[in-house]
């Protein structure tokens, strides 16, 4: 009788430790998602800021400046539920403005243009990486949250279900080729 009670107690302790470890892992994944989202937001803001700066610098022709400025402004001012669409539109505007490699050369030839083109090129390259890190963290947390033990024992607590950030982040080829 006593041995059976000890074995039951040991089994309950092992199960409790396993559930605690799983809850800790899930908590670390949620913290990783928060950090990745902050990094993604920073990269998106940087890209929009550099695009807006370039649009107002007078280096681009007026039509390209207006298209780029409006898309960058919309991306910076977008509400959270419209953010993916606004960022995708900024990506499309960047591809439209810099579809021709000659446009990039004109920017580089202008005073301070080399620095602006380099900053924009870095910004458009970093956005897909930041988005990939964020979506990888979201995928890992989702896979863990789909396990029965997490649902049955409510190990996720009150944390919202993680959502991936889906947008068009294809950079302009003319900017990527030069780096």
């Amino acid at each position: 009788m006593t041995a059976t009670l000890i074995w039951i107690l040991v089994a309950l302790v092992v199960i409790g430790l396993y559930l605690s470890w799983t809850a800790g892992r899930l908590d670390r994944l949620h913290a990783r998602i928060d950090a990745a989202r902050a990094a993604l937001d920073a990269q998106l803001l940087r890209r929009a800021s550099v695009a807006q700066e370039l649009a107002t610098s007078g280096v681009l022709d007026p039509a390209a400046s207006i298209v780029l400025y409006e898309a960058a402004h919309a991306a910076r001012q977008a509400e959270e539920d419209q953010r993916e669409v606004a960022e995708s539109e900024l990506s499309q505007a960047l591809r439209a403005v810099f579809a021709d490699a000659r446009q990039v050369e004109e920017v580089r030839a202008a005073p301070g243009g080399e620095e602006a083109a380099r900053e924009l090129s870095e910004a458009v390259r970093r956005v897909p990486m930041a988005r990939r890190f964020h979506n990888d963290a979201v995928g890992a947390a989702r896979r863990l949250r789909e396990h029965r033990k997490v649902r049955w024992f409510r190990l996720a607590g009150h944390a919202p279900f993680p959502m991936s950030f889906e947008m068009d982040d294809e950079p302009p080829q003319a900017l990527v080729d030069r780096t």
Side-chain angles (χ1 to χ4, degrees):
M1 175 80 171
T2 308
T4 306
L5 220 52
I6 291 174
W7 282 111
I8 290 173
L9 186 61
V10 166
L12 288 175
V13 167
V14 168
I15 290 170
L17 286 173
Y18 178 71
L19 290 175
S20 175
W21 175 79
T22 303
R25 181 173 166 225
L26 192 56
D27 186 50
R28 287 188 302 276
L29 282 171
H30 282 142
R32 193 171 117 201
I33 289 171
D34 291 342
R37 180 58 189 237
L40 175 61
D41 287 342
Q43 291 304 322
L44 291 171
L45 181 63
R46 180 171 183 246
R47 180 181 76 155
S49 297
V50 171
Q52 208 168 17
E53 243 178 69
L54 189 61
T56 58
S57 69
V59 174
L60 300 172
D61 63 271
S65 292
I66 290 171
V67 167
L68 195 57
Y69 180 83
E70 286 180 355
H73 181 72
R76 288 183 70 168
Q77 300 298 321
E79 297 290 325
E80 192 60 36
D81 58 338
Q82 294 296 315
R83 183 100 188 264
E84 293 172 351
V85 173
E87 294 294 346
S88 293
E89 288 173 355
L90 177 56
S91 295
Q92 292 166 0
L94 284 166
R95 282 197 307 271
V97 170
F98 295 106
D100 189 8
R102 288 179 297 201
Q103 183 76 338
V104 177
E105 293 306 320
E106 287 177 21
V107 169
R108 290 183 190 279
E114 187 69 35
E115 175 77 15
R118 185 183 56 74
E119 281 185 45
L120 184 61
S121 179
E122 287 176 7
V124 299
R125 279 187 304 112
R126 288 181 179 167
V127 166
M129 288 187 290
R131 189 175 74 86
R132 193 173 319 119
F133 288 140
H134 175 266
N135 287 350
D136 287 348
V138 166
R142 281 181 163 186
R143 284 188 296 278
L144 185 58
R145 285 182 72 151
E146 288 171 356
H147 289 195
R148 273 187 234 131
K149 65 181 176 262
V150 173
R151 289 192 320 259
W152 287 351
F153 292 102
R154 298 190 176 128
L155 299 180
H158 297 288
F161 195 74
M163 301 300 290
S164 61
F165 194 85
E166 298 302 329
M167 64 173 267
D168 174 9
D169 60 3
E170 185 69 30
Q173 201 58 44
L175 282 174
V176 175
D177 288 343
R178 291 292 310 239
T179 56

